[in-house]
Amino acid sequence: FDQRTGRVAKLEALVRWQHPQHGLLAPAAFIDLVEAGQYISPVTLHMLDMSLRYCKVWHEAGLPLSFSINVSARSLADSKLADAIIDRVAASGIAPGFVILEITESAIMTDLSITLGTLARLRLKGFGLSIDDYGTGFSCMLQLSRVPCTELKIDRAFVNGASKKQHLRIMLESALDIARKLNLKVVAEGMETRDDWQLLRDLECGEAQGYFVAKP
């Protein structure tokens, strides 16, 4: 949600598993098992294919929306997955600039040399790269500046309730300042109340997502 224009700017594709016995499962219930096995790349590509189909429908309807999907640390070390992402997006007719790949701080630090090479390739092809859950990892500004990212997503831990808690507001302001100094777009996660929405507007935060705008 663009805080300046009041419009939906882009969407995040979130995986769910419709389990035959346990019903609809959120990622916390199964994603670690998927990542530990051999299925994380197929799941990532399946999410990409579905998102590209939706994106094409939006664009044909006159809605030039972008979308983001999450990419795991294990996937970033797989050069074949990067090739597959590039090829599928090219075949879809959707410009890479409408596709944002979200990665966590911890994923970046897992194998920095391999990860940076993969990210650089994707960025050169025009993909957006977003640091997800910013503030919960252990990266320093120097390491962060080496990553060719285009966006920071500030973790909900620093956003939800920041209008009521001074220490959260200070950390939120600090994260926004870092993003500006690195010339990055910023998305605040976990915007769930009108007060937090107003605070983000007052702090001139570019974009925000959360239950105040729409639930998953």
Side-chain angles (χ1 to χ4, degrees):
F1 180 83
D2 191 313
Q3 295 286 78
R4 293 154 296 195
T5 65
R7 298 183 178 218
V8 174
K10 53 182 175 280
L11 298 95
E12 179 179 1
L14 300 168
V15 67
R16 296 293 186 269
W17 180 9
Q18 187 64 56
H19 195 281
Q21 293 177 313
H22 304 296
L24 191 66
L25 300 179
F30 63 87
I31 201 67
D32 287 345
L33 292 172
V34 174
E35 287 189 323
Q38 56 184 338
Y39 301 108
I40 190 61
S41 290
V43 167
T44 300
L45 292 175
H46 182 63
M47 291 292 290
L48 177 64
D49 288 341
M50 292 178 67
S51 300
L52 287 168
R53 287 198 295 271
Y54 277 108
C55 192
K56 192 168 185 178
V57 171
W58 303 330
H59 287 196
E60 289 174 350
L63 299 170
L65 298 172
S66 304
F67 70 88
S68 63
I69 62 170
N70 293 277
V71 181
S72 76
R74 189 166 182 181
S75 296
L76 289 173
D78 181 0
S79 61
K80 293 181 180 179
L81 181 72
D83 291 335
I85 290 174
I86 293 168
D87 291 344
R88 286 173 191 240
V89 172
S92 74
I94 299 295
F98 289 103
V99 183
I100 303 163
L101 306 175
E102 292 191 20
I103 48 182
T104 62
E105 284 183 89
S106 55
I108 295 170
M109 303 311 148
T110 300
D111 193 329
L112 194 58
S113 60
I114 295 177
T115 299
L116 286 178
T118 302
L119 294 177
R121 253 181 87 219
L122 291 167
R123 185 71 196 103
L124 286 171
K125 291 291 184 178
F127 290 88
L129 299 176
S130 180
I131 306 298
D132 196 14
D133 300 335
Y134 177 74
T136 59
F138 302 99
S139 64
C140 67
M141 281 189 67
L142 178 59
Q143 290 171 315
L144 190 63
S145 68
R146 293 170 179 163
V147 179
C149 58
T150 56
E151 176 182 276
L152 284 187
K153 295 191 76 173
I154 302 174
D155 190 76
R156 71 181 307 279
F158 306 109
V159 177
N160 187 245
S163 58
K164 306 294 185 185
K165 299 177 181 178
Q166 181 67 10
H167 71 286
L168 291 182
R169 176 175 177 143
I170 291 170
M171 288 187 283
L172 174 59
E173 289 176 337
S174 176
L176 289 170
D177 188 48
I178 289 172
R180 292 187 188 107
K181 287 178 177 177
L182 292 175
N183 198 28
L184 300 174
K185 296 179 181 178
V186 65
V187 180
E189 300 180 288
M191 181 181 66
E192 297 184 5
T193 67
R194 180 174 292 276
D195 287 342
D196 288 341
W197 169 77
Q198 185 61 54
L199 173 63
L200 292 169
R201 282 181 62 92
D202 293 343
L203 295 177
E204 298 183 350
C205 176
E207 296 176 359
Q209 70 180 76
Y211 280 25
F212 184 71
V213 178
K215 295 183 178 181

